[in-house]
Amino acid sequence: MYSIAIDGPAGAGKSTIAKTIAKKLEFIYVDTGAMYRAMALYFIRHEIDPKDEEAINKACPDIHVSINYEDGVQQVLLNGENVNGLIRTEEVGNMASKTSAYKMVRATLLDLQRDLAKTANILMDGRDIGTNVLPNADLKIYLTASSKVRAERRYKELVEKGVEADFDKIEEDIIIRDRQDMEREIAPLKQAEDAVLVDSSDMTIEEVVDAIVAEFEKVK
Ligand code: C5P
Protein backbone atom coordinates (compact mmCIF):
# COMPACT_ATOMS: atom_id res chain seq x y z
CA MET A 1 0.00 0.00 0.00
CA TYR A 2 1.22 3.48 -0.83
CA SER A 3 0.78 6.77 0.95
CA ILE A 4 1.50 10.27 -0.30
CA ALA A 5 1.59 13.24 2.09
CA ILE A 6 1.06 16.78 0.83
CA ASP A 7 1.55 19.59 3.31
CA GLY A 8 1.63 23.33 2.87
CA PRO A 9 0.09 26.65 3.83
CA ALA A 10 -3.48 27.80 3.22
CA GLY A 11 -4.25 28.63 -0.38
CA ALA A 12 -1.31 26.84 -2.00
CA GLY A 13 -3.75 24.80 -4.08
CA LYS A 14 -3.28 21.60 -2.10
CA SER A 15 -6.81 20.29 -2.34
CA THR A 16 -7.30 20.95 -6.08
CA ILE A 17 -3.96 19.35 -6.84
CA ALA A 18 -4.39 16.50 -4.40
CA LYS A 19 -7.82 15.63 -5.82
CA THR A 20 -6.48 15.59 -9.37
CA ILE A 21 -3.51 13.41 -8.48
CA ALA A 22 -5.61 11.01 -6.42
CA LYS A 23 -7.93 10.53 -9.38
CA LYS A 24 -5.03 9.96 -11.74
CA LEU A 25 -3.34 7.41 -9.49
CA GLU A 26 -6.64 5.93 -8.27
CA PHE A 27 -5.78 6.75 -4.67
CA ILE A 28 -8.22 7.75 -1.94
CA TYR A 29 -7.97 11.46 -1.18
CA VAL A 30 -8.08 12.39 2.51
CA ASP A 31 -8.55 16.08 3.31
CA THR A 32 -7.50 16.48 6.96
CA GLY A 33 -8.25 20.22 7.03
CA ALA A 34 -11.94 19.33 6.65
CA MET A 35 -11.71 17.32 9.88
CA TYR A 36 -10.29 20.30 11.81
CA ARG A 37 -13.01 22.41 10.23
CA ALA A 38 -15.70 19.98 11.44
CA MET A 39 -14.36 20.29 15.00
CA ALA A 40 -14.28 24.08 14.59
CA LEU A 41 -17.93 24.05 13.54
CA TYR A 42 -18.76 22.25 16.76
CA PHE A 43 -16.91 24.91 18.82
CA ILE A 44 -18.72 27.70 16.96
CA ARG A 45 -22.11 26.09 17.44
CA HIS A 46 -21.45 25.66 21.15
CA GLU A 47 -20.10 29.21 21.44
CA ILE A 48 -16.80 28.00 22.81
CA ASP A 49 -14.12 30.67 23.03
CA PRO A 50 -11.08 29.54 20.99
CA LYS A 51 -8.81 31.03 23.64
CA ASP A 52 -10.36 28.89 26.38
CA GLU A 53 -8.32 25.69 26.18
CA GLU A 54 -10.07 24.18 29.17
CA ALA A 55 -13.48 24.54 27.54
CA ILE A 56 -12.08 23.10 24.30
CA ASN A 57 -10.62 20.12 26.19
CA LYS A 58 -13.93 19.52 27.91
CA ALA A 59 -15.77 19.50 24.59
CA CYS A 60 -13.39 17.17 22.73
CA PRO A 61 -14.74 13.86 24.12
CA ASP A 62 -18.18 14.84 22.80
CA ILE A 63 -16.90 15.35 19.26
CA HIS A 64 -16.83 12.40 16.88
CA VAL A 65 -15.52 13.09 13.42
CA SER A 66 -15.67 10.44 10.73
CA ILE A 67 -15.55 10.41 6.97
CA ASN A 68 -17.10 8.51 4.14
CA TYR A 69 -17.13 8.84 0.39
CA GLU A 70 -20.00 9.69 -1.93
CA ASP A 71 -19.12 9.22 -5.61
CA GLY A 72 -15.47 9.42 -4.60
CA VAL A 73 -15.91 12.75 -2.79
CA GLN A 74 -14.95 12.88 0.87
CA GLN A 75 -17.84 13.68 3.21
CA VAL A 76 -17.10 14.74 6.79
CA LEU A 77 -19.49 13.71 9.50
CA LEU A 78 -19.71 15.57 12.80
CA ASN A 79 -21.43 13.33 15.34
CA GLY A 80 -23.13 11.59 12.44
CA GLU A 81 -24.26 14.76 10.62
CA ASN A 82 -22.84 15.44 7.17
CA VAL A 83 -21.32 18.92 7.54
CA ASN A 84 -19.52 19.13 4.19
CA GLY A 85 -21.64 22.04 3.03
CA LEU A 86 -21.05 24.06 6.21
CA ILE A 87 -17.29 24.05 6.75
CA ARG A 88 -15.90 26.11 3.87
CA THR A 89 -16.46 29.56 5.37
CA GLU A 90 -13.76 31.98 6.57
CA GLU A 91 -15.31 31.85 10.05
CA VAL A 92 -14.87 28.08 10.26
CA GLY A 93 -11.36 28.26 8.71
CA ASN A 94 -10.23 30.83 11.26
CA MET A 95 -11.69 28.84 14.14
CA ALA A 96 -9.98 25.70 12.81
CA SER A 97 -6.64 27.48 12.59
CA LYS A 98 -6.91 28.70 16.19
CA THR A 99 -8.20 25.51 17.78
CA SER A 100 -5.98 23.09 15.83
CA ALA A 101 -3.11 24.37 17.98
CA TYR A 102 -4.45 22.45 20.99
CA LYS A 103 -3.16 19.01 21.91
CA MET A 104 -6.61 17.55 22.63
CA VAL A 105 -7.99 18.72 19.31
CA ARG A 106 -5.10 17.15 17.40
CA ALA A 107 -5.28 13.94 19.44
CA THR A 108 -8.99 13.64 18.64
CA LEU A 109 -8.16 13.32 14.92
CA LEU A 110 -4.79 11.61 14.84
CA ASP A 111 -5.91 7.98 15.12
CA LEU A 112 -8.64 8.46 12.54
CA GLN A 113 -6.08 9.87 10.10
CA ARG A 114 -3.52 7.13 10.75
CA ASP A 115 -6.13 4.38 10.49
CA LEU A 116 -7.28 5.62 7.10
CA ALA A 117 -3.78 5.16 5.75
CA LYS A 118 -3.84 1.50 6.75
CA THR A 119 -6.81 0.65 4.57
CA ALA A 120 -5.93 1.76 1.05
CA ASN A 121 -3.54 3.69 -1.18
CA ILE A 122 -4.08 7.21 0.06
CA LEU A 123 -3.09 10.74 -0.67
CA MET A 124 -3.52 12.83 2.46
CA ASP A 125 -3.16 16.60 2.63
CA GLY A 126 -2.84 18.95 5.58
CA ARG A 127 -0.18 20.69 7.63
CA ASP A 128 1.55 17.91 9.58
CA ILE A 129 1.03 14.80 7.48
CA GLY A 130 4.66 14.26 6.47
CA THR A 131 6.06 15.40 9.81
CA ASN A 132 3.64 13.79 12.22
CA VAL A 133 0.67 11.79 10.93
CA LEU A 134 2.45 9.64 8.34
CA PRO A 135 6.17 9.95 9.02
CA ASN A 136 6.78 6.89 6.83
CA ALA A 137 4.82 8.12 3.81
CA ASP A 138 6.27 6.88 0.51
CA LEU A 139 6.33 10.40 -0.87
CA LYS A 140 6.18 13.72 0.96
CA ILE A 141 5.50 16.98 -0.82
CA TYR A 142 5.69 20.45 0.66
CA LEU A 143 3.53 22.56 -1.62
CA THR A 144 3.77 26.30 -1.24
CA ALA A 145 3.43 29.60 -3.10
CA SER A 146 4.11 33.21 -2.15
CA SER A 147 1.44 34.88 0.00
CA LYS A 148 0.83 37.34 -2.84
CA VAL A 149 0.11 34.60 -5.37
CA ARG A 150 -2.08 32.73 -2.88
CA ALA A 151 -4.05 35.91 -2.16
CA GLU A 152 -4.43 36.58 -5.90
CA ARG A 153 -5.85 33.10 -6.46
CA ARG A 154 -8.29 33.46 -3.59
CA TYR A 155 -9.31 36.93 -4.76
CA LYS A 156 -9.99 35.64 -8.29
CA GLU A 157 -11.99 32.72 -6.92
CA LEU A 158 -14.25 35.06 -4.90
CA VAL A 159 -14.71 37.56 -7.73
CA GLU A 160 -15.66 34.72 -10.07
CA LYS A 161 -18.29 33.64 -7.56
CA GLY A 162 -19.62 37.19 -7.51
CA VAL A 163 -18.48 37.77 -3.93
CA GLU A 164 -17.08 41.18 -3.03
CA ALA A 165 -13.42 40.87 -2.02
CA ASP A 166 -10.65 43.06 -0.66
CA PHE A 167 -7.24 41.90 -1.88
CA ASP A 168 -5.19 43.42 0.96
CA LYS A 169 -7.47 41.92 3.60
CA ILE A 170 -7.21 38.49 1.94
CA GLU A 171 -3.41 38.65 1.91
CA GLU A 172 -3.35 39.82 5.52
CA ASP A 173 -5.59 36.88 6.57
CA ILE A 174 -3.33 34.45 4.72
CA ILE A 175 -0.26 35.80 6.52
CA ILE A 176 -2.00 35.57 9.91
CA ARG A 177 -3.10 31.99 9.18
CA ASP A 178 0.45 31.03 8.11
CA ARG A 179 1.83 32.45 11.32
CA GLN A 180 -0.71 30.61 13.47
CA ASP A 181 -0.03 27.31 11.70
CA MET A 182 3.77 27.65 11.64
CA GLU A 183 4.35 29.02 15.11
CA ARG A 184 2.20 26.71 17.19
CA GLU A 185 4.00 24.35 19.52
CA ILE A 186 2.34 21.08 18.55
CA ALA A 187 2.73 19.76 15.02
CA PRO A 188 3.46 23.12 13.40
CA LEU A 189 3.41 23.50 9.64
CA LYS A 190 6.91 22.93 8.34
CA GLN A 191 8.62 21.08 5.55
CA ALA A 192 9.61 17.54 6.58
CA GLU A 193 13.32 16.89 6.10
CA ASP A 194 12.61 14.29 3.46
CA ALA A 195 9.86 16.22 1.67
CA VAL A 196 10.18 17.49 -1.88
CA LEU A 197 9.57 21.24 -2.08
CA VAL A 198 7.20 22.38 -4.82
CA ASP A 199 6.72 26.15 -5.15
CA SER A 200 3.66 26.63 -7.32
CA SER A 201 3.93 30.45 -7.55
CA ASP A 202 4.84 30.33 -11.24
CA MET A 203 3.34 26.94 -12.13
CA THR A 204 -0.02 25.93 -13.57
CA ILE A 205 -2.11 23.26 -11.86
CA GLU A 206 -1.17 20.79 -14.61
CA GLU A 207 2.54 21.49 -14.13
CA VAL A 208 2.27 20.91 -10.38
CA VAL A 209 0.28 17.69 -10.90
CA ASP A 210 2.84 16.40 -13.42
CA ALA A 211 5.76 17.29 -11.14
CA ILE A 212 4.25 15.40 -8.19
CA VAL A 213 3.25 12.37 -10.27
CA ALA A 214 6.82 12.27 -11.62
CA GLU A 215 8.13 12.28 -8.03
CA PHE A 216 5.82 9.40 -7.20
CA GLU A 217 7.04 7.40 -10.20
CA LYS A 218 10.55 7.66 -8.73
CA VAL A 219 9.62 6.11 -5.39
CA LYS A 220 7.04 3.58 -6.58
O1 C5P B 1 -6.54 23.16 4.87
P1 C5P B 1 -7.64 23.91 5.57
O2 C5P B 1 -7.66 25.38 5.30
O3 C5P B 1 -8.98 23.27 5.35
O4 C5P B 1 -7.32 23.73 7.14
C1 C5P B 1 -7.97 24.48 8.12
C2 C5P B 1 -7.05 24.60 9.34
O5 C5P B 1 -6.92 23.32 9.95
C3 C5P B 1 -5.63 25.04 9.04
O6 C5P B 1 -5.44 26.45 9.06
C4 C5P B 1 -4.81 24.39 10.14
O7 C5P B 1 -4.73 25.21 11.28
C5 C5P B 1 -5.62 23.17 10.50
N1 C5P B 1 -4.99 21.94 10.02
C6 C5P B 1 -4.02 21.38 10.81
N2 C5P B 1 -3.45 20.19 10.45
C7 C5P B 1 -3.83 19.57 9.33
C8 C5P B 1 -4.81 20.15 8.49
C9 C5P B 1 -5.37 21.35 8.86
O8 C5P B 1 -3.64 21.94 11.83
N3 C5P B 1 -3.26 18.39 9.03
Side-chain angles (χ1 to χ4, degrees):
M1 233 142 24
Y2 289 110
S3 56
I4 301 176
I6 303 186
D7 291 300
K14 286 192 307 290
S15 67
T16 309
I17 282 152
K19 271 183 215 154
T20 312
I21 296 171
K23 206 165 185 187
K24 231 179 178 159
L25 298 177
E26 294 181 0
F27 276 33
I28 303 242
Y29 168 51
V30 181
D31 170 1
T32 61
M35 301 173 188
Y36 286 97
R37 285 171 182 265
M39 291 192 75
L41 180 65
Y42 182 97
F43 300 135
I44 291 170
R45 283 177 170 175
H46 289 78
E47 295 179 8
I48 294 171
D49 178 353
K51 289 196 216 80
D52 187 349
E53 184 170 4
E54 211 175 299
I56 298 264
N57 289 349
K58 243 175 104 188
C60 281
D62 297 329
I63 307 178
H64 299 282
V65 175
S66 55
I67 64 167
N68 62 33
Y69 289 84
E70 267 173 31
D71 298 327
V73 179
Q74 175 182 297
Q75 308 291 318
V76 185
L77 308 185
L78 170 61
N79 293 336
E81 173 194 353
N82 186 330
V83 293
N84 249 38
L86 304 172
I87 56 175
R88 294 288 149 209
T89 64
E90 288 300 306
E91 186 193 14
V92 173
N94 287 332
M95 185 62 136
S97 180
K98 287 184 188 132
T99 53
S100 65
Y102 296 125
K103 196 171 167 188
M104 274 285 270
V105 172
R106 305 204 71 80
T108 303
L109 298 176
L110 189 61
D111 287 345
L112 166 66
Q113 293 168 357
R114 286 196 174 142
D115 287 348
L116 286 165
K118 290 179 193 153
T119 58
N121 290 330
I122 57 137
L123 192 162
M124 191 176 285
D125 81 0
R127 302 293 186 287
D128 64 333
I129 311 306
T131 51
N132 188 46
V133 180
L134 304 176
N136 298 319
D138 299 291
L139 174 65
K140 298 179 186 177
I141 301 289
Y142 190 80
L143 180 63
T144 190
S146 70
S147 60
K148 187 161 174 281
V149 167
R150 286 184 282 138
E152 275 165 10
R153 289 177 186 158
R154 180 82 187 125
Y155 179 80
K156 225 177 116 203
E157 214 176 270
L158 291 171
V159 170
E160 274 165 15
K161 277 193 210 153
V163 179
E164 214 176 292
D166 172 347
F167 179 82
D168 290 336
K169 170 87 175 70
I170 293 173
E171 188 176 17
E172 197 187 301
D173 283 350
I174 281 180
I175 292 168
I176 293 172
R177 182 92 75 89
D178 284 359
R179 200 176 305 136
Q180 271 168 198
D181 288 348
M182 289 173 180
E183 291 181 359
R184 69 180 176 221
E185 250 167 71
I186 308 159
L189 168 65
K190 64 167 190 235
Q191 184 180 343
E193 269 174 31
D194 49 352
V196 177
L197 174 68
V198 178
D199 185 332
S200 73
S201 300
D202 299 314
M203 292 168 88
T204 63
I205 292 173
E206 292 72 35
E207 285 170 338
V208 176
V209 167
D210 290 349
I212 297 175
V213 170
E215 289 297 333
F216 180 65
E217 294 301 328
K218 286 189 209 163
V219 300
K220 204 169 103 176

